[in-house]
Amino acid sequence: MDSPLTPPLTGQCLCGDIKFRLDGAVHRTAACHCKQCQRWAGHYWPSCSVSEDHLVLTHGSLSLTWYESSDKAERGFCIICGSSLFWRLLNNPGGWVAIALGALDSPTGLSQGEHIYTESAGDYYSIPK
Ligand SMILES: [Zn+2]
Ligand SMILES: [Zn+2]
């Protein structure tokens, strides 16, 4: 679901130190229900994906830290406020990076997209239709 982005989407972490811009089309949106996302974000994690080259940090790059959450992927967060911002595969330069939909400034013009890893969903909520 490529969508034209004019003006580009922007977003930031909770404290506002990390600010970013998406300079390319959004490739995909998805809501991940895996247990890692639940522990990381406090709930399931809706994101959109762009080519890593199109994620431009406009402020706060020193506050962005990557946590290697498995042998396959790492997660970017703000060391000041803890916001759960980005997910990407390890050793995959130029690949997709997933961006937290909740970190984007409104209006995004996006919709949440498919639910993935629903077999790991918490027992305290229902998967929205
Ligand atoms: Zn922050
Ligand atoms: Zn996940």
Side-chain angles (χ1 to χ4, degrees), residues 1 7 23 26 29-30 32 38 43-45 47 60-61 66 77-78 85-86 94-96 101 104 116 118 121 128:
M1 53 154 284
D23 272 355
V26 167
T29 59
C32 186
Q38 289 182 50
H43 197 28
Y44 65 88
W45 194 64
S47 68
S61 59
W66 291 90
F77 65 98
C78 175
L85 298 173
F86 310 129
W96 301 112
L101 285 179
L104 296 176
I116 59 175
T118 53

Side-chain angles (χ1 to χ4, degrees), residues 3 98-99:
S3 56
I99 320 285

Side-chain angles (χ1 to χ4, degrees), residues 12-18 63 77-83 85:
Q12 65 173 61
C13 65
L14 177 60
C15 77
D17 192 50
I18 296 176
S63 297
F77 65 98
C78 175
I79 56 169
I80 298 173
C81 68
S83 294
L85 298 173

Side-chain angles (χ1 to χ4, degrees), residues 32 34 37 75:
C32 186
C34 82
C37 282
R75 295 165 184 269

Side-chain angles (χ1 to χ4, degrees), residues 33-35 38 116-127:
H33 295 260
C34 82
K35 195 60 192 173
Q38 289 182 50
I116 59 175
Y117 294 100
T118 53
E119 67 278 10
S120 307
D123 63 2
Y124 63 94
Y125 64 90
S126 307
I127 308 290

Side-chain angles (χ1 to χ4, degrees), residues 1-69:
M1 53 154 284
D2 285 3
S3 56
L5 295 180
T6 45
L9 290 170
T10 55
Q12 65 173 61
C13 65
L14 177 60
C15 77
D17 192 50
I18 296 176
K19 291 184 168 63
F20 60 89
R21 191 179 71 226
L22 306 184
D23 272 355
V26 167
H27 167 65
R28 176 196 195 205
T29 59
C32 186
H33 295 260
C34 82
K35 195 60 192 173
Q36 288 192 355
C37 282
Q38 289 182 50
R39 291 202 195 280
W40 187 50
H43 197 28
Y44 65 88
W45 194 64
S47 68
C48 64
S49 297
V50 300
S51 170
E52 189 165 21
D53 302 336
H54 292 153
L55 169 60
V56 179
L57 286 185
T58 53
H59 194 268
S61 59
L62 293 179
S63 297
L64 176 61
T65 298
W66 291 90
Y67 171 69
E68 204 170 301
S69 53

